[in-house]
Amino acid sequence: MHDDRRITEQRLDRFVRERILPAIYGRAIPLQLSSWDAPGEPVPAAEAIRQLFTPQEHGAPWGKAWSTKWLHLQGEVPQDWGMAESTSVEIIVDLGFNSDAPGFQCEGTAWRADGSIIKAISPRNFHVPLKLLGGGLSVDFYVEAAANPDVAQGWSFAPTPLGDKATSGDDPRYRLGRIAMAELNETVWELNQDIWTLSGLMHELPTELPRRHEILRALERMLDVMDPDDVAGTAAAGREELKAVLDRPAYASAHQLLATGHAHIDSAWLWPVRETIRKCARTFSNVVALMDEDPDFVFSCSSAQQMAWIKEYFPELFVRIREKVKAGQFIPVGGMWVESDTNMPGGEAMARQFVEGKSFFLKEFDVECQEAWLPDSFGYSGAIPQIVKEAGSRWFLTQKISWNKVNRMPHHTFTWEGIDGTRLFTHFPPVDSYNAELHGRELAHAERNYRDHGRGTMSLVPFGYGDGGGGPTREMVAAAHRTADLEGSPKVRMGTAKDFFTQAEAEYANLPVWVGEMYLEMHRGTYTSQAKTKRGNRRSEHLLREAELWCSTAAVRLGADYAYPRDELKRLWRLVLLQQFHDILPGSSIAWVHQDAERNYEAISRDLEAIISEAAQALVGDGDTSYLLNAAPHRRDGVAALGIGEGAGSGAGVQVDQSGESFILDNGVIRAVLDGNGLLTSLVDHASGRDAIAPGQTGNLLELFRDTPNEWDAWDIEEFYRRNVTQLTQADTIDLERTPAGAVVVVQRKVGASTITQRVTLDAGAKSLGIATTVDWQEREKMLKIAFPLDVRADRSASETQFGHVFRPTHTNTSWEAAKFEICAHRWIHVAEPGYGVAVSNSSSYGHDVTRAVRPDGGTTTTVRTSLLRSARFPDPEADRGEHTLELSIRPGAAIADAVEEGYRTNLKPRFVTGGHAVEPLVSVSNPAVVVEAVKLAEDGSGDVIVRLYESLGERSAATVRPGFEAVGATATDLLERVAVAPGVTAGEDSEVHLVLRPFQLVTLRFTR
């Protein structure tokens, strides 16, 4: 037989494009239009509908960036429309869409005249069925049209002013397209779905497989029987020709795909939070309408914050969603407040993501999520398995690791083992997308790509337009039905994530194990971009720690005389958790988002400072004595951990000598030498007598790197950045200041258009040297790091993560190690050889790198660098420009325990209050290796005290925990404060709790008052 395959495929493509698609809608008439332009930010529907609407021209330009236009659509349906079999009436609304990008442009929401929401209007979902308007033959409804600009610009990563309302311009960005009442031919629409499914499958089948040719010839027969001049009249005959190939059942061994509707709605990204709220309403109204049409359709919603927005701003829609939850179609998943970043949030914040998310879903829907759902976060901390399990969940899902640039994950279904040994059933969907359309190409890829064939038989597919694109469509649901049992295709079944995990866990025993973090070999720049957002996060986390501690202490010590601000603390926690979303905290959003974040952090700081001040003053009472509030988990300046007392002196003062141009600072604990340019030439701890700085090299070395990633500017750092570096070795001025606490060397430098002032501080009794770097940053496409070349032969570095730390090799023996050229650490990073180590702590930085070199003398130099600032041009062309202060300390002769203590010291600055008496700690722990991370009152309002603690050194540690108040009992709980089994936890007498903890074990204790 002659091979005419290409000819037939081309014939099919043109026939669909020119004949079938135009025939989906038959008769059509334009609607009467009027409009009203919202003068500023969006307004509620009820308010907009009351406005004076004026006539609106069809096809007119509209919408300056970020504006809102309300359209009023009116008309009468002809009597004979929709009367024929398989026809119905719909309104089609084209706001000027580009159908190539469903989530990154204008979109709309349809509203009834009574102010109830109908559904979304989006580039690939622009129809409104007449039956949704309330019946009758009159068309009378409103469309809220949002002129969201296309910030992505085809993913060119070019700088754009569109991400800031102040610079986005006043010119209209769109032109109204077709807005009409039309008659839908359902048979033609169904035929189009048949063709789409079969053609997609056909193109994925090998040419030598008979099934491919069988589908081709069926499509050819369909083309032959159909009349191109009467598509509507011959569509049924065309469908009949395809019936036999659509009815062929799948292979018995076909891979099974559980498809769950999804809409990965970024809580902010290339649009502000205020637009996300509307995107949620559009998407969720869409899926509820789909559920009304198809009882098999199931949708997974992963963010409690988004549901809270719907409850607050769209209560009528929230009621409808609640009904669908009860019906088992609208499924809360994930159990987190937002789909947060997991690299940078602190331990308690990561725990609160689950506490707030799961509590909300339980309260509002009586649903407890069993899976953590994080398809798009930029890598996954090794602490996550324990946190997920402690929250009462069983499973984990991610997708983003498919973006790895170098190494491919070896499994799709596996056990993930965390830093403490907790194991978690994990799935990584082989479809490699969280925005699937259920196209044949995607389904075939999922089957081919699955790496666990022979052991597992199924995987999960989240389908629906994401990133704000509107979620699943009726076309996707149609594809799911057609591929449920189709030869050549995986078997697709719609269902819930719980359905998938339950079945996959049951069928797949002896899972392979992945140990430690799941590092994303991409988006490493997110540890550094938008420094003010990161500083706001770190500061907020520690202010919340202080506020909860002192408020709890006041509530217990003062009883009825002090009211615990439960609601206000919850509000502030939720605001902090929102800003840990995986495009806000990482610094990968438009300017508007980060301006909002900075304003929010300022408000959070102001409110928490007031709460702390009120609680502290209530605790110490009236008087003239100055007291130190020690919120750290370690004794500080003579004051017990978590207590309030008169601080002891810090010991002898600081001796300052000058030798030539060098400054020598010595407090009897450590000795630091800075040369005439402010570079650290020596750092000795007197206990060991050893110099931490490598011979002939200098620390406190600022290095400026070229930073021009191939794409994804705010997200990425490429390894080749290291090849272009300028070392800032020259100082403009250097001066010495004496302070009551010690001595400060002040160094000023200039680089490019930026000025840098460093304050290098040694205080009396301090075990570390402090360095505060203030930068008026005006660079573009540059990265600023601070380097410490250390005389330490370290084969690995330790970086703090949630409730522990993670080790990473300093060498690059394998491609996995080489890919980790930029790593994330929380408050500290530590490098050591047996018997000696150095810790570098920071107050707001997360990005680091550690390199090593062997010197001619045979010694090894291990260089620790902390990334201070970047200056990406997309999506915020002014990212990080302005003034920043970044603080760190370097502690020589430090063990891991010293690094842990130094991290808290750097982030919990001394706080003093004047009053009449000291305050004993609410709780004490006998072993400093066991660190208290949070003290708070119970969520249930009982007044019980909750203490969250963890083993911090990575070793087996024993401790006794004693309440400093009258308690009638103590129990171990999960993160949601429900009684739980905690290995190594034993209740003793007088409500003491005895602990024998495994490395990094996390424990939550409830002391009953």
Side-chain angles (χ1 to χ4, degrees), residues 170 185 229 261 316 465 589 645 711 811 820 970:
D170 294 327
N185 188 305
D229 297 322
E316 179 265 342
Y465 295 124
S589 289
E711 53 186 0
H811 55 75
K820 295 182 182 180

Side-chain angles (χ1 to χ4, degrees), residues 612-635:
I612 293 166
S613 177
E614 180 183 356
Q617 199 62 63
L619 280 166
V620 299
D622 297 330
D624 299 323
T625 305
S626 179
Y627 291 101
L628 171 66
L629 284 75
N630 181 15
H634 307 99
R635 176 174 288 273

Side-chain angles (χ1 to χ4, degrees), residues 9-164:
E9 290 171 357
Q10 290 175 340
R11 178 189 175 195
L12 174 68
D13 290 344
R14 184 170 185 181
F15 189 82
V16 170
R17 184 175 65 249
E18 295 184 358
R19 307 292 180 169
I20 292 180
L21 293 179
I24 290 175
Y25 290 106
R27 295 177 288 184
I29 55 176
L31 291 168
Q32 177 184 332
L33 290 183
S34 56
S35 67
W36 172 74
D37 292 299
E41 284 294 279
V43 301
E47 179 179 340
I49 290 169
R50 291 197 303 266
Q51 305 304 313
L52 176 63
F53 283 66
T54 57
Q56 170 66 53
E57 178 187 357
H58 284 260
W62 73 282
K64 72 175 185 179
W66 305 114
S67 67
T68 300
K69 175 183 281 291
W70 281 82
L71 298 170
H72 189 187
L73 286 62
Q74 295 175 290
E76 294 295 325
V77 181
Q79 291 285 343
D80 61 336
W81 277 29
M83 301 301 291
E85 186 179 357
S86 298
T87 62
S88 59
V89 178
E90 295 187 340
I91 292 82
I92 52 179
V93 182
D94 181 356
L95 297 175
F97 301 127
N98 168 8
S99 62
D100 292 337
F104 303 92
Q105 55 177 300
C106 63
E107 46 194 319
T109 313
W111 296 87
R112 299 181 185 89
D114 65 2
S116 60
I117 194 168
I118 305 172
K119 68 180 293 291
I121 305 293
S122 54
R124 301 182 191 178
N125 191 353
F126 50 79
H127 66 281
V128 180
L130 180 66
K131 61 186 176 182
L132 294 183
L133 301 183
L137 296 179
S138 292
V139 172
D140 188 350
F141 72 103
Y142 296 81
V143 171
E144 178 188 15
N148 302 331
D150 179 12
V151 177
Q153 303 176 98
W155 303 111
S156 62
F157 306 105
T160 172
L162 294 174
D164 186 339

Side-chain angles (χ1 to χ4, degrees), residues 801-845:
T801 189
Q802 297 93 354
F803 305 119
H805 54 268
V806 59
F807 290 107
R808 301 181 181 99
T810 58
H811 55 75
T812 54
N813 284 354
T814 71
S815 59
W816 294 89
E817 293 150 0
K820 295 182 182 180
F821 54 80
E822 183 82 358
I823 56 177
C824 184
H826 286 193
R827 291 169 290 205
W828 57 265
I829 189 166
H830 180 264
V831 293
E833 61 186 46
Y836 184 84
V838 179
V840 177
S841 73
N842 70 83
S843 67
S844 61
S845 301

Side-chain angles (χ1 to χ4, degrees), residues 18 98 113 203 308 346 408 426 429 448 452 576 619 681 888 909:
E18 295 184 358
N98 168 8
H203 283 288
R408 184 181 176 192
T426 298
R448 284 195 299 262
D452 299 289
V576 170
L619 280 166
T681 60
L888 56 80
K909 297 297 184 183

Side-chain angles (χ1 to χ4, degrees), residues 259-262 287 291 294-300 328-331 463 472 477 494-497 499:
T260 191
H262 187 48
V287 301
M291 290 169 185
D294 190 332
D296 293 332
F297 171 60
V298 172
F299 179 78
S300 296
Q329 287 186 273
F330 197 107
I331 311 298
F463 71 93
V477 175
M494 287 187 288
T496 69
D499 292 338

Side-chain angles (χ1 to χ4, degrees), residues 443-629:
L443 304 183
H445 175 77
E447 184 170 56
R448 284 195 299 262
N449 189 42
Y450 184 61
R451 306 202 76 180
D452 299 289
H453 287 305
R455 303 183 191 279
T457 65
M458 61 189 305
S459 62
L460 185 141
V461 177
F463 71 93
Y465 295 124
D467 301 321
T473 65
R474 61 185 178 184
E475 289 79 12
M476 297 176 195
V477 175
H481 285 303
R482 284 165 172 78
T483 52
D485 193 10
L486 180 64
E487 184 185 353
S489 170
K491 294 180 180 179
V492 176
R493 175 172 60 89
M494 287 187 288
T496 69
K498 182 179 180 180
D499 292 338
F500 165 76
F501 279 109
T502 302
Q503 294 172 45
E505 196 173 36
E507 77 157 9
Y508 194 172
N510 300 316
L511 290 170
V513 178
W514 180 269
V515 178
E517 68 178 333
M518 287 194 280
Y519 177 95
L520 178 64
E521 295 172 357
M522 205 172 176
H523 293 0
R524 305 164 183 90
T526 58
Y527 311 148
T528 306
S529 295
Q530 297 286 2
K532 288 182 179 177
T533 297
K534 290 173 170 57
R535 183 174 181 83
N537 175 74
R538 182 76 69 81
R539 181 70 182 132
S540 296
E541 289 181 344
H542 288 81
L543 284 172
L544 281 163
R545 172 195 177 91
E546 291 185 86
E548 288 189 329
L549 170 64
W550 302 128
C551 290
S552 300
T553 305
V556 173
R557 298 280 182 241
L558 305 176
D561 292 333
Y562 178 83
Y564 186 74
R566 182 183 322 281
D567 292 342
E568 183 68 356
L569 289 171
K570 182 177 287 290
R571 179 186 70 82
L572 293 167
W573 258 119
R574 287 182 170 183
L575 186 53
V576 170
L577 298 178
L578 165 61
Q579 293 174 156
Q580 291 178 341
F581 177 74
H582 65 251
D583 275 307
I584 302 180
L585 179 54
S588 48
S589 289
I590 57 174
W592 188 342
V593 172
H594 292 288
Q595 291 163 5
D596 282 350
E598 289 168 28
R599 282 191 293 269
N600 285 335
Y601 285 131
E602 288 174 5
I604 289 165
S605 177
R606 182 179 61 249
D607 292 348
L608 287 172
E609 289 286 0
I611 289 171
I612 293 166
S613 177
E614 180 183 356
Q617 199 62 63
L619 280 166
V620 299
D622 297 330
D624 299 323
T625 305
S626 179
Y627 291 101
L628 171 66
L629 284 75

